[in-house]
Amino acid sequence: MKRTATAVRSGAQRLRQFTESVIREQTRMAMEHKAINLAQGFPDFPCPPVLKKLANDALAADWNQYSITWGLPGLRQAIAEKAKRYNGIQADPHSEITVTCGSTEAMMCAFLGLVDPGSEVILFQPFYENYHPDSYLSGARPRYVSLRPPDWSFDETELRRAFGPKTSAIVITTPHNPTGKVFSRAELEVISKLCQKWNVRVFSDEIYEHILYDGARHISPASIPGLEDRTVTINSASKTYAVTGWRVGWAIAAKPLSDAMRKVHDFLTVCAATPLQVATQGALALPASYYRDLAKEYCERRDYLIAGLEDVGFRCFKSQGAYYVMAEAGKFLNKKLKDDTALARHLVSNVGVAAVPGSSFYQQSGKNARNDLLRFCFCKKEETLKEAIGRLKKRMAVAP
Ligand code: GLN
């Protein structure tokens, strides 16, 4: 059937404040130009063989139907034990843990279930791009607090000013995407005081909790006095076990918060993929050595990528955690390549390497917005990183 030219009413109003994901757009461009994708953060190496076996076994054992909406009881039990052991969080697996389709859904459930239209949500900037649409889809207005390089610390006064009677929640990502910052106990205590004063909830994205460098320690906001009952702790199998396509995530929160989030999850997705929930339960039983090796291997990749990028002429901020590096690209900006977006486009189409323009992590019109940064991810095989650096070295020297 032929489409008519008549204007049909399309996109809802609530979509107007944000664009499609720049990260995923870069992935599509990388595929189109056969570029190496150092944009979207997903590994190009296989997940641990034991996970493949767990998933295969789950399918062979006929785990093919919906799970209980809140997640398989065995998986919730395993998450509760891990939260107690690693995060210092006590949670009742029956009423305080909800398994979701990735941490992306968990965060959306937190926003839609707990944030009222007309309220405000505090985001540290640069922010992971999802939180912006999450805020607008829930009808809230984001308030931004800057993380300032080189250490990406925040100014206490600026943070204090962002809180007010309309504040509903603050989003914390630790280790942080895109900067690699790991929030310290002292910083979390400052946040806790303000959250108690203004009765604000914390939405804590901790998906990189095991990817830590140079002795950095992961501290879960929910383990800080004053935040236990007001924090939604979000995590997933994606980054820890190199299975970003499995879409198995979870949210841990006190019962009143979990009840609200479960109402959204129930109608949004019903449940995460059942056989992969079974496999994730098995993954949570991996020994401590798995996590030690994970951090060590990512640390080597970080050092390799940073050294290569600096050789090319980028100035890198050394990440303390997660698998990204923010790089200053001012040296490459000129009349033709005016900003990070133009440079990222040039990189993907002419150099053969995809990165994310830093501006997609900033409020567009904000006074602290930067347009001279690129985010590169290093969750890739050594040979992939080598090839990327090789292309950058060879082709960045040539004027566009
Ligand atoms: N978290 C990853 C990143 O920041 C993947 C983003 C996504 O597409 N969900 O690149």
Side-chain angles (χ1 to χ4, degrees):
M1 215 199 315
K2 205 165 163 271
R3 301 229 180 273
T4 62
T6 351
V8 175
R9 218 158 17 142
S10 53
Q13 293 237 5
R14 70 177 80 85
L15 305 183
R16 293 206 179 137
Q17 286 109 331
F18 58 92
T19 58
E20 67 172 83
S21 153
V22 177
I23 298 176
R24 293 187 281 278
E25 185 192 9
Q26 284 294 322
T27 288
R28 289 193 292 275
M29 284 176 71
M31 287 164 93
E32 193 183 315
H33 293 280
K34 296 196 171 31
I36 294 173
N37 190 354
L38 301 190
Q40 195 177 12
F42 63 88
D44 68 344
F45 44 83
C47 71
V50 60
L51 265 85
K52 292 190 217 177
K53 182 164 181 333
L54 285 161
N56 279 323
D57 289 354
L59 283 170
D62 293 321
W63 287 95
N64 295 315
Q65 309 309 325
Y66 301 123
S67 71
I68 295 174
T69 309
W70 326 131
L72 287 174
L75 173 57
R76 281 184 279 136
Q77 182 65 40
I79 293 168
E81 282 161 20
K82 177 247 157 206
K84 190 172 168 200
R85 189 173 66 235
Y86 186 69
N87 305 89
I89 298 173
Q90 297 272 5
D92 173 9
H94 304 292
S95 58
E96 299 184 326
I97 294 177
T98 307
V99 177
T100 55
C101 296
S103 60
T104 297
E105 192 215 333
M107 188 59 87
M108 189 62 94
C109 289
F111 271 87
L112 293 178
L114 299 168
V115 172
D116 275 316
S119 60
E120 293 178 355
V121 172
I122 300 173
L123 305 181
F124 285 105
Q125 171 168 257
F127 49 82
Y128 173 50
E129 59 168 18
N130 277 32
Y131 310 147
H132 205 251
D134 287 346
S135 307
Y136 283 116
L137 287 172
S138 61
R141 196 168 71 90
R143 293 279 306 252
Y144 306 91
V145 173
S146 294
L147 296 176
R148 297 154 195 247
D151 62 352
W152 306 103
S153 57
F154 59 83
D155 176 58
E156 231 180 284
T157 310
E158 189 189 341
L159 181 68
R160 200 172 315 118
R161 285 204 188 114
F163 277 82
K166 282 188 172 177
T167 315
S168 177
I170 178 167
V171 178
I172 301 175
T173 322
T174 186
H176 186 252
N177 176 7
T179 65
K181 171 191 173 66
V182 176
F183 280 73
S184 69
R185 182 173 297 278
E187 287 175 321
L188 295 173
E189 282 168 357
V190 168
I191 296 170
S192 174
K193 279 207 188 84
L194 289 164
C195 287
Q196 291 176 68
K197 177 173 176 197
W198 295 102
N199 194 12
V200 164
R201 275 76 56 87
V202 174
F203 299 163
S204 179
D205 180 343
E206 300 175 35
I207 59 169
Y208 303 99
E209 66 179 356
H210 291 290
I211 305 177
L212 299 162
Y213 313 118
D214 310 327
R217 289 277 311 275
H218 175 66
I219 300 166
S220 285
S223 70
I224 299 289
L227 294 184
E228 313 88 331
D229 298 334
R230 58 179 75 247
T231 299
V232 179
T233 304
I234 292 172
N235 219 313
S236 87
S238 295
K239 313 290 179 178
T240 306
Y241 305 112
V243 288
T244 59
W246 280 20
R247 316 309 299 135
V248 178
W250 54 87
I252 306 174
K255 188 171 182 304
L257 306 189
S258 285
D259 284 349
M261 292 173 63
R262 284 179 169 193
K263 268 194 181 169
V264 179
H265 167 70
D266 194 10
F267 291 101
L268 202 59
T269 59
V270 181
C271 65
T274 308
L276 301 178
Q277 290 190 52
V278 176
T280 300
Q281 182 183 329
L284 284 163
L286 285 177
S289 59
Y290 172 77
Y291 303 96
R292 272 199 303 275
D293 293 348
L294 179 81
K296 188 172 158 282
E297 281 161 25
Y298 275 129
C299 189
E300 283 162 15
R301 292 184 179 117
R302 176 200 65 170
D303 293 345
Y304 180 82
L305 182 69
I306 290 182
L309 289 174
E310 299 219 316
D311 271 358
V312 175
F314 290 97
R315 197 181 142 241
C316 296
F317 299 104
K318 205 171 184 185
S319 357
Q320 293 177 284
Y323 49 44
Y324 308 99
V325 59
M326 282 289 246
E328 266 177 359
K331 190 172 164 186
F332 301 102
L333 300 182
N334 52 41
K335 268 199 185 138
K336 251 178 145 176
L337 297 175
K338 281 200 181 66
D339 56 20
D340 57 346
T341 306
L343 181 61
R345 207 170 293 134
H346 169 66
L347 279 183
V348 71
S349 44
N350 302 325
V351 177
V353 177
V356 183
S359 55
S360 61
F361 305 106
Y362 284 88
Q363 174 200 18
Q364 293 309 308
S365 54
K367 63 178 187 326
N368 292 316
R370 293 189 59 162
N371 63 2
D372 63 334
L373 298 169
L374 291 178
R375 188 199 76 173
F376 293 87
C377 70
F378 50 86
C379 45
K380 303 291 169 186
K381 291 182 204 143
E382 205 185 310
E383 68 214 58
T384 309
L385 296 176
K386 200 168 169 196
E387 172 66 20
I389 294 296
R391 288 185 187 188
L392 287 166
K393 280 188 178 162
K394 204 157 109 199
R395 301 181 194 161
M396 287 299 274
V398 184

